[in-house]
Amino acid sequence: MSTPSVVHRLSTAINAEEHELRPALSGFLLFFCLFAGYFMLRPIRESMGIAAGVENLQWLFTATFFVMLAAVPLFAWLSSRVPRLHFVDWVYGFFCLNLLLFSVLFLLQGENPWLARVFYVWISVYNLFVVSVAWSLMADVFDSAQAKRLFAFIAAGASVGGLVGPALSALLIGSLGEAGLMLLAALLLGGALALKFSLMRWREVGGAGRPGATPAESTRKPVPGNPFSGMTRVLQSPYLLGIAGFVVLLATVTTFLYFEQARLVAELFPDRAAQVRVFGTIDVVVQAGALLSQLFITGRLAQKLGVRVLLAIVPLLVCVGFVGLALMPSFAMLAALMIVRRIGEYAFVRPGREMLFAPLDAESKYKAKNVIDTVVYRAGDAVSGWGKTALDMFGQGAGLVAVAGALCALLWGYLGWQLGKQADRQTEVRVGAVVGSGA
C-alpha cells in the first residue's frame, strides 16, 4: 500500500481536492496579507476614535458612510471599463498609494487631530473595499461547491493575519512608528496583489472558468453595467435585498456592541497605551478562536448542514448574549459577547455570507456585492450609531441597548436561515445538473 503524498494529506486536512490545494493556499495567503496589514493599523484607529471623543463616534461613522457613498459609483465606473482580469490591480494599487501618502503625513504631522479623524474614516473605507474586492475575486475564482469546501480555510488566512498583525504592531511601533507601520501595510497589500495573478490563472483550468463549470462572463472583459447598476441590481433582486438586510442587521448589532465597548474602555482605561493593549488582547483572542473554528469546523459544517446553519447560529448566540448583558451589565460580559460575536462573524458568518454570491453572475459578484459590503454596511453603521445615541438619551444604561440588540439579533438569525436555505437549494440544483449531464 502506497503512503499518501504530502499534497494528498494537506488537501484532506483542508477539505480540498488535490488540484485545488495551490489556489486554496494562494487565497489563504492573500487574506493573510490583507488582514496582517489592517490589524497592524487597527489599534491605532481605535485609539484615534477614542481620542476624538466617544460621544463623537457617530459623526465619524456618518462621515465614513458619506465617503463610501461617493466612492462606490467611482468603483463601479472603474469595473465597467477595466477587464475583470486587471480590476483588482487598479483597486489595490490605488490603496497602496494611499498608504504611502499617509505614511508621509504621519511622519510630518502625526499629532494633528484632523489627520487622526481623516485616517479613522479612511481606514474604515479601505478595510471594507479591499476585503470586499478580495471576496469578489474568490467568488469569481471558485464555483459554489468549491466555495462550500474551501472558503472557511481561505478565511482562516484572515484570522492568522489578524493574529500576526497586532503582534507586529506591538513589536514594531517603537522602532518604526505609525508611519513605518503604514509603509509595511502597503508592502503586504502589494503581496496580496501578486497572489491574485496566480488565482486568476488557475480559474480558467480548475475553477469557475473551467470547461463544464457554470458559464461565466470572460475575465478579459469589463463587468457590464453603469456606475449605478450595482445599486439597481440590489433593488431589483429579492435575494440581494435579503443579503442587504442581513448586512444591516449585522452592522446594527456590531455597532451597539462597539459603542458600549468604546464607552467602557474609555471609563476603565483612560491611558491611551492601556486602551491599545485592551483592544490588542481582544483581537488576539478573537483571531485565535476564529482560526481554530475555520480550520476544523466551518467547512465541514457547511458541507453537512448547509449555509443556513452558518448564517443562523451566530445571531442566535448573540441574542442570548444580549439577554445576559441586560441581566448582568459589566465589562466582562460585554467583552465575552464581543469575542463570541467577532469569532462567529469571522469563522461562520463571513464565509457563509460569501457563499451566497458564488452562484451569481459577475455584475452581482462585483458591483452589487460591493454596494452591499460598503454602502449598505456603512449605512447600517451610521443609522445604528445614531439609534444607539437615541437609546442612551433614555438614561436606561446598557439594559435598554441590550434588549434592542437581542431583538435585532433574533431577526438577523431568521433572515440568515432563509437566505442560507435558498443558497443551499441553488447549489443542490447546480450539482444535480452537472451530475446529470455527466460533466
Side-chain angles (χ1 to χ4, degrees):
M1 183 180 295
S2 61
T3 304
S5 66
V6 174
V7 171
H8 177 78
R9 288 175 177 172
L10 283 174
S11 301
T12 302
I14 67 170
N15 208 23
E17 296 178 8
E18 288 190 23
H19 74 284
E20 297 166 344
L21 179 60
R22 183 173 59 82
L25 289 172
S26 294
F28 177 96
L29 290 172
L30 187 149
F31 274 94
F32 169 81
C33 290
L34 290 183
F35 276 74
Y38 170 66
F39 273 90
M40 279 195 308
L41 305 179
R42 181 185 168 97
I44 299 171
R45 185 197 78 156
E46 304 295 30
S47 62
M48 287 178 180
I50 289 176
V54 174
E55 70 281 1
N56 295 321
L57 278 174
Q58 69 268 24
W59 289 106
L60 293 176
F61 275 46
T62 303
T64 301
F65 166 67
F66 280 109
V67 172
M68 200 75 78
L69 198 61
V72 164
L74 295 174
F75 175 96
W77 173 85
L78 180 67
S79 67
S80 297
R81 281 156 179 77
V82 176
R84 244 165 51 237
L85 191 63
H86 301 298
F87 176 67
V88 180
D89 310 358
W90 283 81
V91 176
Y92 283 11
F94 171 75
F95 281 116
C96 273
L97 291 175
N98 285 185
L99 282 165
L100 294 175
L101 177 60
F102 271 113
S103 179
V104 173
L105 290 174
F106 270 88
L107 193 62
L108 299 175
Q109 297 187 358
E111 299 301 318
N112 188 313
W114 280 103
L115 178 59
R117 293 180 183 118
V118 169
F119 180 74
Y120 184 99
V121 171
W122 176 86
I123 200 170
S124 301
V125 172
Y126 159 82
N127 179 46
L128 286 188
F129 263 104
V130 296
V131 174
S132 176
V133 169
W135 279 116
S136 293
L137 174 66
M138 299 306 155
D140 201 359
V141 169
F142 300 100
D143 63 27
S144 299
Q146 290 169 330
K148 272 193 173 183
R149 288 185 287 104
L150 302 176
F151 274 14
F153 173 72
I154 289 170
S159 295
V160 177
L163 282 169
V164 172
L168 287 175
S169 181
L171 287 172
L172 300 176
I173 186 66
S175 56
L176 297 182
E178 294 167 338
L181 290 179
M182 290 172 195
L183 181 60
L184 184 54
L187 293 174
L188 287 166
L189 185 57
L193 182 55
L195 290 160
K196 162 257 168 187
F197 291 102
S198 171
L199 284 162
M200 287 303 269
R201 282 197 301 269
W202 179 83
R203 178 190 183 278
E204 301 305 318
V205 294
R210 69 186 186 277
T214 304
E217 300 89 337
S218 170
T219 59
R220 299 186 181 279
K221 296 179 181 178
V223 178
N226 59 60
F228 301 98
S229 60
M231 182 64 74
T232 55
R233 176 64 67 95
V234 172
L235 294 175
Q236 291 168 357
S237 167
Y239 182 68
L240 291 172
L241 276 174
I243 299 175
F246 181 85
V247 167
V248 167
L249 290 166
L250 163 64
T252 300
V253 168
T254 301
T255 299
F256 281 8
L257 291 173
Y258 181 83
F259 275 44
E260 280 300 303
Q261 174 188 260
R263 180 180 66 81
L264 287 173
V265 169
E267 289 177 2
L268 299 173
F269 307 96
D271 179 63
R272 183 163 169 173
Q275 293 168 3
V276 172
R277 280 195 295 271
V278 169
F279 290 130
T281 301
I282 290 175
D283 282 345
V284 168
V285 173
V286 166
Q287 299 305 330
L291 176 61
L292 292 173
S293 300
Q294 288 159 339
L295 290 177
F296 300 111
I297 301 174
T298 308
R300 291 165 177 81
L301 191 67
Q303 262 192 295
K304 291 182 179 179
L305 299 179
V307 181
R308 58 188 179 274
V309 173
L310 295 186
L311 296 181
I313 189 170
V314 176
L316 293 179
L317 289 174
V318 170
C319 180
V320 173
F322 267 121
V323 172
L325 187 63
L327 297 174
M328 192 169 50
S330 66
F331 179 71
M333 176 63 75
L334 177 68
L337 180 53
M338 283 288 292
I339 288 169
V340 168
R341 200 278 307 165
R342 287 179 58 195
I343 288 175
E345 182 180 352
Y346 295 150
F348 301 114
V349 174
R350 189 68 199 238
R353 193 172 115 204
E354 303 309 332
M355 291 172 194
L356 299 176
F357 289 95
L360 305 182
D361 60 286
E363 190 173 2
S364 296
K365 288 177 181 176
Y366 281 86
K367 291 188 174 180
K369 182 182 184 312
N370 183 255
V371 168
I372 292 171
D373 287 349
T374 57
V375 171
V376 171
Y377 192 99
R378 287 309 182 202
D381 273 348
V383 171
S384 55
W386 287 106
K388 169 67 167 61
T389 302
L391 290 173
D392 287 343
M393 292 173 65
F394 288 99
Q396 300 299 312
L400 182 59
V401 174
V403 171
L407 292 173
C408 289
L410 198 61
L411 182 58
W412 178 32
Y414 172 77
L415 191 53
W417 180 266
Q418 295 300 323
L419 287 167
K421 277 177 62 177
Q422 202 168 336
D424 289 334
R425 281 198 299 267
Q426 288 179 345
T427 301
E428 289 164 6
V429 169
R430 290 179 185 276
V431 170
V434 171
V435 172
S437 67

